[in-house]
Amino acid sequence: MSEEITYASAGVDTEAGDKAVELMKEAVRASHTSAVVGGVGGFAGLVDVSALKDYRRPLLATSTDGVGTKVAIAQAMDVHHTIGHDLVGMVVDDIVVVGARPLLMTDYIATGKVVPERIADIVRGIAEACTIVGTPLLGGETAEHPGLLAPEEYDVAGAATGVVEADEVLGAERVRAGDVLVAMASSGLHSNGYSLVRRVLQVAGWSLDRDVEELGRTVGQELLEPTRLYTPVCLDLTTRVEVHAFTHVTGGGLAANLARVLPAGLLADVDRASWQVPPVFELVRSLGNVPWRDLENTLNLGVGMIAVVAPDHADEALAAVAGAGVEAWVLGEVREDDGAAPDLRDGDVVRGTKGVQGGAVRLVGSYRV
């Protein structure tokens, strides 16, 4: 064979990868806290955890996730600087649910072709979001996969680690009858259910650049609205009021995720009429003739995070969340399960979700749109 075969001719451009690092490294450095040891570019990121010596029994909390097919919207619109906020929201806001304070985050990007400016936009978004939630972006990897992904395609994933005192872990063990559910508004679709949303748009023949009066912008702009970051408000809330549990409303919808943090024998009554469903959800429902049951089992419908708080702390919790600039309201309350709720999904009662055999959630009333 006379033809020379190089790594570049096989589709991998290491120089482009190096250029991407140069473009992103200032944003990554800006996310670093005083606990970070070393700079950008090492084989491993280092963080000083000497403070853990002051913990009585520190537990490490970890989570990993991606942003699903929302990346297809970013790629179609050629807008890549916001998807990182979604990644941080999906990962870091999961570990705060147990009361953990995040220590670090890492990311991974796989792409068909490294376009330095595009990769830098993605990572800058991740770093900006990490700065907002006080979590250093400690390391990452960009992998070029020619032949596996098209040149313009990419996927992102991340992982985060946090710490919490063993006797301060939040969750089902703390929840009691009489506790109040404080809802925190979502910023939109967040990063779940995009396969449904994209299918609805495809069948309806709607393009991403279509202006929609009730949204006040194009469909694509609405779908790319970044996931709201709840870590700062949740951590602050735990210092102000008696929080028993949080639940992050992601894949599976409100009821399925709330049931995960309720103990067996308790049931949470959720009033669907306690908030107005944002226009984007009603648009998806009406445009695709999507049943309400399917919609509420897939999308957040306007509720991104729920705090389960002691009843005499509900008003203070509402004020604290609102003071942080996030709309909040009482979603419902927890009560003793009277035994009438079935073991599996039936009617308006949800239990036994995500592999957790715990409490139940009863959805009552009708949504306001």
Side-chain angles (χ1 to χ4, degrees):
M1 175 183 287
S2 58
E3 179 187 356
E4 266 191 350
I5 299 178
T6 65
Y7 207 11
S9 69
V12 178
D13 188 345
T14 56
E15 291 184 2
D18 289 341
K19 182 179 179 183
V21 172
E22 286 299 315
L23 292 173
M24 71 176 72
K25 66 182 182 181
E26 289 307 316
V28 173
R29 284 198 189 104
S31 76
H32 289 181
T33 65
S34 59
V36 174
V37 178
V40 177
F43 282 95
L46 300 172
V47 61
D48 185 348
V49 293
S50 300
L52 298 191
K53 294 185 296 184
D54 298 328
Y55 281 66
R56 297 179 301 279
R57 186 188 168 204
L59 300 181
L60 293 181
T62 185
S63 178
T64 186
D65 208 342
V67 299
T69 61
K70 188 170 184 174
V71 296
I73 306 297
Q75 291 160 21
M77 295 184 64
D78 196 23
V79 175
H80 313 285
H81 66 282
T82 61
I83 206 76
H85 285 246
D86 299 293
L87 182 63
V88 174
M90 291 299 100
V91 175
V92 177
D93 281 350
D94 269 4
I95 65 172
V96 78
V97 162
V98 298
R101 185 172 296 277
L103 296 172
L104 61 95
M105 180 164 176
T106 57
D107 68 74
Y108 176 80
I109 304 170
T111 184
K113 177 179 176 59
V114 170
V115 177
E117 294 76 13
R118 182 169 63 206
I119 298 301
D121 276 351
I122 297 169
V123 176
R124 273 197 293 261
I126 299 171
E128 289 169 1
C130 280
T131 301
I132 291 171
V133 299
T135 307
L137 182 58
L138 201 57
E141 172 70 8
T142 300
E144 203 164 23
H145 291 165
L148 183 62
L149 295 169
E152 71 282 358
E153 290 180 339
Y154 62 81
D155 197 12
V156 296
T161 299
V163 62
V164 60
E165 284 280 14
D167 59 2
E168 296 177 2
V169 173
L170 303 179
E173 296 78 9
R174 293 178 178 267
V175 178
R176 301 289 183 266
D179 282 353
V180 175
L181 309 174
V182 174
M184 304 181 203
S186 70
S187 57
L189 292 165
H190 284 185
S191 298
N192 303 105
Y194 273 74
S195 293
L196 170 64
V197 174
R198 290 168 55 240
R199 179 60 175 165
V200 167
L201 293 179
Q202 179 187 36
V203 171
W206 280 33
S207 64
L208 294 176
D209 61 0
R210 181 180 182 127
D211 281 300
V212 180
E213 184 178 354
E214 54 265 44
L215 300 179
R217 52 183 168 177
T218 67
V219 173
Q221 288 169 332
E222 179 69 30
L223 298 189
L224 273 192
E225 178 66 32
T227 300
R228 173 165 279 150
L229 302 171
Y230 297 98
T231 291
V233 65
C234 288
L235 290 177
D236 179 66
L237 199 60
T238 61
T239 68
R240 294 172 178 266
V241 305
E242 186 180 334
V243 178
H244 292 163
F246 289 113
T247 190
H248 192 195
V249 183
T250 54
L254 186 156
N257 284 288
L258 179 56
R260 299 166 71 182
V261 299
L262 299 176
L266 294 186
L267 180 145
D269 280 315
V270 172
D271 182 5
R272 292 186 179 108
S274 65
W275 79 99
Q276 185 160 354
V277 175
V280 64
F281 300 100
E282 169 59 13
L283 176 65
V284 172
R285 188 201 66 78
S286 59
L287 188 62
N289 195 28
V290 181
W292 272 112
R293 182 63 52 81
D294 198 68
L295 207 69
E296 71 180 7
N297 290 344
T298 307
L299 306 176
N300 68 62
L301 296 183
V303 181
M305 183 74 77
I306 301 169
V308 184
V309 305
D312 54 344
H313 286 224
D315 288 342
E316 190 176 352
L318 288 169
V321 176
V326 179
E327 183 185 359
W329 64 94
V330 172
L331 186 70
E333 63 179 39
V334 180
R335 63 174 173 85
E336 297 287 346
D337 191 341
D338 59 12
D343 290 334
L344 299 173
R345 291 175 182 242
D346 182 26
D348 296 325
V349 177
V350 176
R351 71 159 76 238
T353 63
K354 308 277 188 175
V356 177
Q357 298 300 322
V361 176
R362 187 169 70 102
L363 297 157
V364 299
S366 299
Y367 292 107
R368 292 188 293 116
V369 295

